[in-house]
Amino acid sequence: MELNDANLQSLTEFLRKTLDPDPTVRRPAEKFLESVEGNQNYPLLLLTLLEKSQDNVIRVCAAVTFKNYIKRNWRIVEDEPNKVSDPDRTAIKANIINLMLSSPEQIQKQLSDAISIIGREDFPQKWPDLLTEMVTRFRSGDFHIINGVLRTAHSLFKRYRHEFKSNELWSEIKLVLDTFALPLTELFKATIELCQTHATDVNALKVLFSSLTLISKLFYSLNFQDLPEFFEDNMETWMTNFHGLLTLDNKLLQTDDEEEAGLLELLKSQICDNAALYAQKYDEEFQPYLPRFVTAIWNLLVSTGQEVKYDLLVSNAIQFLASVCERPHYKHLFEDQNTLTSICEKVIVPNMEFRSADEEAFEDNSEEYIRRDLEGSDIDTRRRAACDLVRGLCKFFEGPVTAIFSGYVNSMLTEYAKNPGENWKHKDAAIYLVTSLASKAQTQKHGITQANELVNLNEFFVNHILTDLKSPNVNEFPVLKADAIKYVMIFRSQLPKEQLLQAVPLLISHLQAESTVEHTYAAHALERLFTMRGPNNTTLITAAEMAPFTEQLLNNLFKALAFPGSAENEYIMKAIMRSFSLLQETIVPYIPTLIGQLTHKLLLVSKNPSKPHFNHYLFESLCLSVRITCKANPTTVSSFEEALFPVFTEILQNDVQEFLPYVFQVMSLLLEIHSNSIPSTYMALFPHLLLPVLWERTGNIPPLVRLLQAYLEKGGATIAGSAADKIPGLLGVFQKLIASKANDHQGFYLLNSIIEHMPPESITQYRKQIFILLFQRLQSSKTTKFIKSFLVFINLYCVKYGAIALQEIFDSIQPKMFGMVLEKIIIPEVQKVSGAVEKKICAVGIIKILTECPAMMDTEYTKLWTPLLQALIGLFELPEDDSIPDDEHFIDIEDTPGYQTAFSQLAFAGKKEHDPIGDAVGNPKILLAQSLHKLSTACPGRVPSMLSTSLNAEALQYLQGYLQAATVQLV
Amino acid sequence: MPTKNVTDERLGKFKNKGKDPAKLREKRISECVELRKAHKNESFMKRRNVTLSSLPDEDALSPDYSTDAVSVYSIEDIIKDVNDHNKEAQTRGCQAARKLLSQESNPPLKEIIDAGLLSRFVSFLGMNDEPTLQFEAAWALTNIASGTSWHTQQVVESGAVPAFISLLASPMLHISEQAVWALGNIAGDGSASRDILIECNVIPALLARISPDTPVGYLRNLTWTLSNLCRNKNPCPPLSAVLQMLPSLIQLLHLSDKDILSDACWAISYLSDGENERIDVVVKTGIVPRLVELMGHRELSVMTPALRSIGNIVSGSDQQTQAAIDAGVLNILPQVMRHPKASVQKEAAWALSNIAAGPCKQIQQLITCGLLPPLVEQLRNGDFKTQREAVWAVTNFTSGGTVEQVVSLVQSGALEAIINLLQVKDSKVILVILDAVNNVFMAAEKLGEMDKLSLLVEELGGLDRIEMLQNHDNEMIYRAAHNLIEKYFCGNEVEEVKVDSTEDAFEFRTADVPRTFEF
C-alpha cells in the first residue's frame, strides 16, 4: 500500500461507509478494512487522514479506527507473525506524540489511548525517548498540550496501582521517577501559582484545575507501590499544596449541576485518596502532616452540601477519617468530647439523613433502592461511609459515641412525635442511626449477630418499631414501615422469640402494602424468620405456631404478586417457597388452589423468562407442592401431572430454553413417585427427549440424564417392548456424552441404568459396540474421571451379567483383552474409585472375577489373580487415592462429577442415592470370604497356595480377619 | 488456587517452599530494586572524619602548620608541597590535603586524584621513620577511599592495599588504627575490593592486633573493618576468609562495648545472609544463643543487627531454625515484636513469618511461646511494612499448620485482622491474604465447619470485601476473590443458567477404524 492520494481517497470512502447505518453497506466496508490492515503503510494512511482530512467526521473515524487497529495488532505474540511492520512501528512512535498533542480533544483522546496501548508493550525498552519527549512539553506553557501529556501519562502509569511488585515493574517506575518526578513537581507548583494569577478567569481556571486533578492522579500512581525517595524528599511541597487545595474554595468553579461532580470535587476527592494512601502505607513519614489533613477534611465535610454531586467526595473524605480514627496513635485527635460531638453532629448525622434522591428511588426505582439498602451494594454511598465512621469511632469511643447518639436519637424521635406527617424523616434517620450504632457483625443468613451492648434493641423495638408495624393503615409512611420491617429482619437473631412471633402476623399484613419496597421487605423478613434455627436444629418458628396465620399468609403472598411491579418479585416467590417448606403438610388442603396459581404464573413467565431467581423459586415451590402432597398420598401424583403437563408441553414446544432443565427435573420427580410402571403420557414424550438439539445445551444434560434414568428405572421393559426402535437413539446419547471429557460421567450414569434396568436380551446386539466405544475413548484420552466411571461400569456389568460374560466379551473384541484391562486398569486404578456405593459395586464385581471366572484359574490370567485380590483388599483397607496425574491439573473444575455450575439444580427436586446392589450384599468383606471359601472347596489346595506365594503379609492378615468374621476356612 | 504463580515468587524465598536454589539468593527483599531511601539504620559502608581513638593530642603529634589555613592553602600549594623533596614540606602538604579532604561538603577528592598525588601518598605510607608523614598520608588516603566507588578504586589502583596492610603492624597505635580505618573503607566498597584485600592477607594482619590489651576504641574500628570484610554478596566473601574471621568475631561478640557489639552483629548478619551452607557456618560456631540474647539489648544499634542475624538464620533450613528456637528466640520475640520502633517490629515480623513457614512442630512452639497475640496486634495496629510481613506469617502458618493450629490462629483474632487488611492498597498483600483465607477454609473443610466459617467471614465483613475485590483491576486478585466466593459463599443460592446456543436422534455406531487397543 503506497502512501499516495489515491489510497487516501479510497480509504476515506471506506471509512465513510463504515459509518453507514445500513448494515449491507457497513459490513462489507468493515470487512474490507480488516482484510487490508496487514499491509504496510495502512496505519500511516490512517494517521495522515486523521491529521489532514478536510472532513471532521472522517478525521474522528480514522482516529477510532487507528486506535482499534493498534489494540488488535500491536502486541507481538510469541509464535505468531508480527502484524505491524517494523518501519510502520518506528514511524508511528516517531509521530504519534506530536500528532496527539496538536489534535482537537476528540482525536486526542483516541490517540492518547493508542499511545498507552503501545506504551504497555514498548515502554520503556523499545520506546526509550517517550518520557523525555513528553516531559519537554511541560515547558510549552500551553495547557491544552500539557493536559494531553498528563492524560497519556496517567493511562501509562495507572497500572502501577494494581500490579504486583516485581523487579521489572519497579525498574520501570524508577526510570519514570528519574525523568518524570521533578518536572511533574515543577509543573505542580507552577500550575498552582497560575491558579492564583488567574483567580478571576473562569476559563483559565477550568483548564488549570483539570491539570491539577491529573497531576494528583499521577501522584497517586507513582506513590502507590512504595514511597519513592524523591517524593519523600519533596513531601513538604506536595503535602502543603495538597492541603491548600483541600481548603480552597473558588466560587467561580462551583457548578449549578446537582448530579455531576465538578472540577473542585474531583480534585479534592483525589487529594483525599492521596492522603489516605500516605496515611495507610507511609504512616511514619506522613505523621507530621496527618493532623492537618484530618482537620481540613473534617472542615470540608462540615461545609459540603447534600447534593448528589458531592457524594464521591464526601464518601472518600469520611472513609479517610474512618481509617485514621481506628489507629491507636491517632486516637488523641478524636478523643476530645467536643470533637466527637462535632463529628457526630456535623459529619455523621447529616450524612445519614434520608435525601430527596433516596425518596425518589424508594418510590420510582424500588429495585435499585432494595439492592442498595438490603443487599449492601451501597459501598460508595454516604450512608455506608457514615456507618463505617461510626464503627471506626466505636473502636475506642463506644461509650461516648453511643451516649452522644442516644441524645440525637431521642431528640429526632421527639421531633417526629411533634408532627409525624412533617417530620417522618427524622424517625427514619433515628432508626438508621440506631441500626448502624448497634450492629457490629452481620450475615445474610442470621442478620445482625453481634450488637453493641449499650443499645437496648428490645426496648427500641417495643417503643418505636412495633408501633409502626401495628399501625392499621399499612400504606401510611411507607418508608418508616419499611424501616420497621427491616429492623425486625436484621435484628432477628437479637430479639426474643415472643417478639418475633408478635411480629409475624403484622408482617403478613404488610404484604398487602402498596409500596413495592414495603411488601417486598415484608416477604423478605418472613422468609428470613422462617429459616431461623431453634434448639435441636429445627426451625425456630414451627408449623404449629404458624397454624392460625397459614391461610392469611398464603393468601397475602399470592396477592402481593398481583401488585404492579411485583408480578415477578423474587423475594415474594422465595417467601412462598420457604412458607411451603416450613408449613409442610399443613398446606395440603390449599394445594389445589395454590397449584393452579403457580401453574398460571408459570404459563405467564414462560412467555418471556426474565427473572432467573423468581423462576427458580417458582419451580422450587412446584417441587415442594409435589413432594409434600405425594408423601402422604402418592396417588395424587396424577393430579399434578394433569395440572402441569399442559404447561410443560407448551414450554417444550416453544423451546423455552431457560426452563427446560427445570421441567426435566420436575418430571423426574413426578416419574420417580410412580411405582414400577410408566404412564403412556411419558412414553409419548420419550422420542423427543432423544432429540440432539436438547443435548447440545450443557445445562440440559444433567437433568435429562436423570429423567432418562427415571424412564429406564420405571419403564425399562416398556421401552424394550414398545420403543425398541429408540434403543439405538438412546445409546446414541450415551455415545455423544462419552465422547466429552466434561460429560462422560453423565454418559456412564445413563449406561449403568441401561445395564441395570433394560432386559438383557434387548441390548445383546449392542453390547460389543458399547465396549468398543469405551475402549476407544480409553485409548484416545484417558482421564482419571473416565477411569473411575469405567471401573464402576465394568464391575456393575460383571455383577449383572456375571464374570464369565465380562471376560468373554472383552476377549471377543481382542485376544487377551481381559488380562490387559485387569493389569493396566483395574488393578492399578481401583484405589481411585470414590463413593460408598461405587466402591461396593467394584468390590462385588471383583469378587466375582476372582471366584466365578474359570479363566482366572487356569489360563495365563492366573498370574493376575493375587494382584487383583491384593487390589481388592487395598480398596477395602487403604485410604482413597485422590492423586491426579500432573497433566490433568489443568482440566477445568467443571469436569469433576458433582460440580455443575451451568445447571440450575433444584434443591427440592432432590434425588435419593441409588444403590443397585442394595441389601443383596451387606458386607463385601464377608462376601469375599464366603466366595473364596466356595472356590477353595471346588478346587482344594489352589487358593491357599496362590495366597501364600505372592499376597503380601499385611493383606493376608486382613484377609484372615475377613475369614474369621465369616467363620469360614480355606481348604 | 490460581494465585499460585505470583505467591510462589515470594514463597520461594521461604524455606521448605521454594525448591529452586537460585531463588534462595533473593531472601532479603532489600536486594530487589528499591524506590525508597536507603535504610537509615543500616551500618555505614564507608566513613569519613572518624575521630581516632588512639590519636594522641594533635599538638604533641606534629606541629600544626595551619590552624585555619585550609582556606588559604590552595590545591596548587598542596601539590607543590607533596611533590617536594623536603620531608617537612611533604608533611605540611599531606596535612593540608587531609584537612581539605575532611571538610564537610564537597571535598575536592577528584582534584587531588587528578593531580596524581595518590602514588605519592602511598609511597609515604612506607616511611616508617617518618611517622607523622606516614600518618597524614594515611589519613588523606582514607578520606579519598571514603568517596564514591570510583574514588576508592583509584586508591586501590595506586597500590595502597599492601602498604596499608603493612602499616597495620606499626608500633604507633594511631597509625595502625588509621590503616584499619582505610582498609575498612576499601573493604566496604564492594565484593571486588573486599576480595583484593582478602587475597593480600589482610585478615591475619588485622586479627593479630586483637589482644586483651587492645584499647576499646581501636577494637571498635577494627570490628567495623572486619564487618565490611564480611559484607556484600555476588559473590559472598570466600568461605576460607569467613572461617578465619569467625572465631574472632565470636570473641568480640562477648565483649560489652555497644559499638563493638553492633558491628560484630552486622558482620554476623552479612555472613548469615545467604544460602543455607553459609548460615550453617554461623550456626556451627554456637553463637546463636548469644545473638538471641543480644536481640534483647537495650541499644537499638545492637539489637537491630542481632535481630537481622537471627532473621537470616530462621530463613534457613528447619534445623537451623530449630537452633534459633532452642536458643530461645521465641521467648524474646514477643517483646521485640512490641518494640516501639516500626523498623524493629517489621524485622521481627519478618523473622516470625519465616518461623511460621516451618514444620508444624515449630509452629506449635510459636503458639506455645505466645507469639500469636503480638502477631495479631501488629496485624491490627502495626505500621504497613510490619503488617505486610505479619500477613505473610499468617499465610505461611495456615499453609503449614495443622487444623488445630489454624483453629487457634483464628481464635486469636488473626482472621479478623487479615480481613480488615483486605482494604490495603497493595495488590500482593491482598492476594496473600486471600490465600490465607482459602487455607483457613481448607482447614474448616477438614473439620466439617465450612458453613460456620463462611458465616464468620461474613460477620467480620470479609464477604463484602471479597465481593468488592471481584472488581479489582488485578486479574489474579479478581480470580482469587471470585474463586473464594464460588467455593464458599454460594450456598444454595441460584446460579445463572448458562446455555450454549446450537433431527431426530444421535447415531449410535462405532467408527470403522482398524483397532488394536493398548492401554
Side-chain angles (χ1 to χ4, degrees), chain A residues 244-401:
Chain A
L245 289 170
L246 263 187
T247 51
L248 176 125
D249 190 18
N250 189 316
K251 296 275 178 288
L252 288 174
L253 285 171
Q254 286 171 358
T255 53
D256 295 332
D257 194 328
E258 287 203 357
E259 304 273 323
E260 200 70 20
L263 283 168
L264 261 181
E265 288 81 65
L266 290 175
L267 174 62
K268 289 182 181 182
S269 205
Q270 183 59 48
I271 293 175
C272 285
D273 278 345
N274 293 352
L277 175 74
Y278 266 53
Q280 186 186 77
K281 296 184 82 170
Y282 318 126
D283 188 39
E284 202 179 343
E285 294 83 359
F286 187 56
Q287 266 186 37
Y289 300 92
L290 188 117
R292 262 186 269 169
F293 275 85
V294 168
T295 318
I297 286 174
W298 164 19
N299 286 330
L300 178 74
L301 281 167
V302 170
S303 58
T304 302
Q306 290 281 0
E307 291 83 352
V308 174
K309 66 173 167 182
Y310 300 122
D311 282 7
L312 182 67
L313 172 60
V314 168
S315 146
N316 271 356
I318 298 183
Q319 294 293 4
F320 171 81
L321 292 184
S323 71
V324 172
C325 73
E326 46 177 35
R327 299 209 141 222
H329 51 281
Y330 295 126
K331 196 178 146 185
H332 64 276
L333 295 175
F334 298 86
E335 207 157 34
D336 181 64
Q337 181 72 23
N338 291 329
T339 310
L340 272 182
T341 312
S342 163
I343 289 180
C344 292
E345 179 182 350
K346 295 191 178 124
V347 177
I348 293 172
V349 172
N351 284 303
M352 282 193 176
E353 274 166 20
F354 200 74
R355 296 184 295 167
S356 53
D358 299 317
E359 205 172 349
E360 276 166 32
F362 186 89
E363 282 164 11
D364 304 330
N365 193 357
S366 50
E367 260 177 64
E368 173 64 21
Y369 183 90
I370 292 167
R371 197 159 33 242
R372 273 208 315 249
D373 187 48
L374 214 52
E375 295 169 10
S377 74
D378 57 349
I379 301 300
D380 291 327
T381 64
R382 293 180 177 217
R383 275 193 158 187
R384 172 65 172 256
C387 256
D388 288 348
L389 182 53
V390 172
R391 226 163 278 170
L393 288 172
C394 280
K395 186 169 169 189
F396 292 117
F397 314 110
E398 191 173 42
V401 167

Side-chain angles (χ1 to χ4, degrees), chain B residues 73 78 81-82 89-99 120-121 124 132-133 135-138 140:
Chain B
Y73 218 101
I78 292 174
D81 279 352
V82 170
Q90 289 168 353
T91 309
R92 196 169 56 227
C94 278
Q95 190 183 63
R98 68 90 174 154
K99 284 192 173 173
R120 285 295 285 173
F121 292 154
F124 298 151
T132 310
L133 181 55
F135 177 69
E136 292 294 355

